[in-house]
Amino acid sequence: MTSAEVDAYLDSLSHQLKPVVVRLREAIMASDEGFSEHLKWKAPSFVYAGEDRVTFALHPANRIRIVLHRGVQRRADADGFRFEDPSGLVVWAAPDRGVVTFASVEAAADAEAALLELIGRWVRA
């Protein structure tokens, strides 16, 4: 089920890539019934198994970033954590925090299947 809070936020969102945000939000939520959502960092964020794991970052307005993380707090095993990204979509900010960036509707559409597969593996890692 989608969050009314996120629906209201997206209804009022003014962003160049709003169609990408809306499409990817729907696709992520539909990809696994274990997801729930809320707002974090003034953007949709997805919770899996009780922890924030995937969050949109919507500023600046000429791109969207999808942040892959392992919860609110840095985990004790962060330095030794490894995750393979055969898609090449992720830029790693730390061993346990990565960012996927899209600057166009076309780029997001072309990568959607790979992104959803990546997110599915990420939330189980």
Side-chain angles (χ1 to χ4, degrees):
M1 213 42 155
T2 61
S3 164
E5 174 187 46
V6 178
D7 288 337
Y9 171 80
L10 290 176
D11 286 346
S12 68
L13 180 65
S14 176
H15 191 286
Q16 272 179 228
L17 297 175
K18 180 177 179 177
V20 174
V21 176
V22 170
R23 173 64 197 140
L24 291 179
R25 176 219 182 188
E26 291 171 356
I28 291 167
M29 288 298 293
S31 71
D32 191 305
E33 64 185 31
F35 279 116
S36 62
E37 65 179 345
H38 64 115
L39 292 177
K40 177 180 180 167
W41 307 334
K42 297 183 181 179
S45 185
F46 304 92
V47 174
Y48 193 85
E51 289 199 48
D52 284 303
R53 297 302 306 272
V54 178
T55 304
F56 280 97
L58 301 178
H59 297 285
N62 66 344
R63 64 179 176 243
I64 63 164
R65 291 174 291 148
I66 300 165
V67 181
L68 307 177
H69 51 93
R70 296 175 69 213
V72 176
Q73 300 291 330
R74 178 177 163 87
R75 293 187 185 183
D77 68 346
D79 290 333
F81 180 79
R82 296 292 177 262
F83 182 82
E84 295 297 321
D85 171 28
S87 72
L89 291 172
V90 181
V91 173
W92 296 102
D96 66 343
R97 182 173 298 260
V99 180
V100 176
T101 303
F102 297 116
S104 72
V105 172
E106 296 78 18
D110 289 347
E112 183 176 319
L115 176 68
L116 293 175
E117 189 275 332
L118 176 75
I119 289 172
R121 288 188 313 104
W122 176 256
V123 298
R124 289 168 180 79

